[in-house]
Amino acid sequence: MAGQADNRAPYAKIAAHYTELIESGQLTPGSLLPSIKNLSEQWGVSTATAEKALRKLRNEGLVRGIHGIGTEVLDRPAPMSSGSQRQDRGRRTGSSWGSGERSDSHEAAVVPAPSDVAQALGIEPRSDVIRRRRVYRDRHGIVAHSTSWIPARYGKLIPQLAVSERLTGGTSLQLIAEATGVPISHRVDTASARVLTAEDAELLELDPKNPPTEPVVVMTAKFIDSEDNVVEYGVDLGGPGRTWQAESEVSQ
């Protein structure tokens, strides 16, 4: 959020700046990034720090180094985010969008819980559950189709959960924690891959009669409050060609 201190390492700030420019399309494929020397001067950092920032961008597949020429921007779809990553981003910034992303096709309804959803939420199959859907896009197309499954009892506290509009005032988890006074304490994440079904293809706006044959990434996230209630189960279906990545610091 505005006003929060940025505690990232200098190389990470530089890399994040150019990631935003690349993924938003402000730096187009084939563009050259400043040299290590120029980056060092522009950002007031050592050449080692500047080189580390460029290495991070290379490792993420956003750029490549060309001997004798420089660092070139590549044209590739950005990785998808898991539900947990989007929740973390929403808590930090107030938005679940990644760089260059937007969401649309927001749809909400109270529906009978499918068996797998009921099991994840700890409720009886066919019990009422709120299903919230949206599509995340960037300039390459669909990043992911995201579905949040929420026990219907929370809709009585927060009516907007069942309204087909983008939520205001926070993420679904923030709104639930505020309304109940019970904080979200932990989550369980999974990552897998599967071949698209006809239903998957339709959600990703593909031809359900002729879906792509390559597997896509499927991420799930189960959010649990401090009283051990499962308050939300999220399923993110990646678009064809989208990967998933996570980054964490390694202590020495």
Side-chain angles (χ1 to χ4, degrees), residues 130-195:
I130 299 170
R131 183 188 65 197
R132 293 192 57 83
R133 288 175 165 174
R134 58 271 188 202
V135 176
Y136 291 94
R137 307 176 194 270
D138 63 13
R139 63 191 180 88
H140 289 277
I142 291 181
V143 178
H145 182 282
S146 184
T147 304
S148 296
W149 301 91
I150 303 168
R153 64 181 181 274
Y154 295 115
K156 297 177 181 179
L157 295 173
I158 313 158
Q160 72 162 313
L161 289 176
V163 177
S164 295
E165 295 177 357
R166 185 167 181 255
L167 293 176
T168 59
T171 66
S172 54
L173 292 175
Q174 289 171 326
L175 294 172
I176 291 170
E178 181 179 341
T180 62
V182 183
I184 309 303
S185 61
H186 60 289
R187 67 196 184 206
V188 179
D189 301 319
T190 72
S192 61
R194 72 173 182 232
V195 175

Side-chain angles (χ1 to χ4, degrees), residues 1 26 29 40 55 67 74-75 78 145 178 207 210 224 231 241:
M1 294 182 182
Q26 295 179 65
S40 172
R55 185 166 64 247
H67 182 69
L74 295 176
D75 187 17
H145 182 282
E178 181 179 341
D207 182 358
N210 188 30
I224 304 165
V231 300

Side-chain angles (χ1 to χ4, degrees), residues 14-240:
I14 299 171
H17 172 76
Y18 284 100
T19 295
E20 170 66 26
L21 293 180
I22 292 168
E23 294 185 350
S24 67
Q26 295 179 65
L27 275 177
T28 57
S31 301
L32 294 178
L33 268 58
S35 67
I36 291 174
K37 180 181 178 182
N38 287 341
L39 275 180
S40 172
E41 294 173 350
Q42 290 172 14
W43 288 80
V45 296
S46 68
T47 55
T49 295
E51 198 283 328
K52 189 174 183 180
L54 293 180
R55 185 166 64 247
K56 177 175 171 62
L57 294 172
R58 291 197 300 271
N59 290 341
E60 293 177 355
L62 295 173
V63 301
R64 64 172 179 171
I66 304 177
H67 182 69
I69 296 179
T71 302
E72 179 187 50
V73 175
L74 295 176
D75 187 17
R76 75 164 185 95
M80 64 179 286
S81 299
S82 67
S84 295
Q85 287 171 318
R86 292 193 183 281
Q87 177 63 21
D88 289 343
R89 188 183 298 132
R91 188 171 59 249
R92 293 193 311 269
T93 70
S95 172
S96 63
W97 294 337
S99 297
E101 278 187 356
R102 289 294 180 268
S103 59
D104 59 35
S105 304
H106 290 263
E107 175 265 326
V110 177
V111 300
S115 58
D116 60 322
V117 172
Q119 182 177 8
L121 292 176
I123 60 177
E124 290 295 319
R126 311 296 295 173
S127 299
D128 282 352
V129 65
I130 299 170
R131 183 188 65 197
R132 293 192 57 83
R133 288 175 165 174
R134 58 271 188 202
V135 176
Y136 291 94
R137 307 176 194 270
D138 63 13
R139 63 191 180 88
H140 289 277
I142 291 181
V143 178
H145 182 282
S146 184
T147 304
S148 296
W149 301 91
I150 303 168
R153 64 181 181 274
Y154 295 115
K156 297 177 181 179
L157 295 173
I158 313 158
Q160 72 162 313
L161 289 176
V163 177
S164 295
E165 295 177 357
R166 185 167 181 255
L167 293 176
T168 59
T171 66
S172 54
L173 292 175
Q174 289 171 326
L175 294 172
I176 291 170
E178 181 179 341
T180 62
V182 183
I184 309 303
S185 61
H186 60 289
R187 67 196 184 206
V188 179
D189 301 319
T190 72
S192 61
R194 72 173 182 232
V195 175
L196 287 173
T197 64
E199 182 181 359
D200 293 336
E202 191 169 352
L203 292 176
L204 293 172
E205 301 175 8
L206 302 168
D207 182 358
K209 296 180 180 179
N210 188 30
T213 56
E214 70 270 22
V216 296
V217 177
V218 182
M219 310 289 299
T220 73
K222 185 162 61 172
F223 297 90
I224 304 165
D225 69 18
S226 60
E227 295 182 353
D228 215 28
N229 299 303
V230 180
V231 300
E232 184 171 319
Y233 175 62
V235 181
D236 287 272
L237 179 66

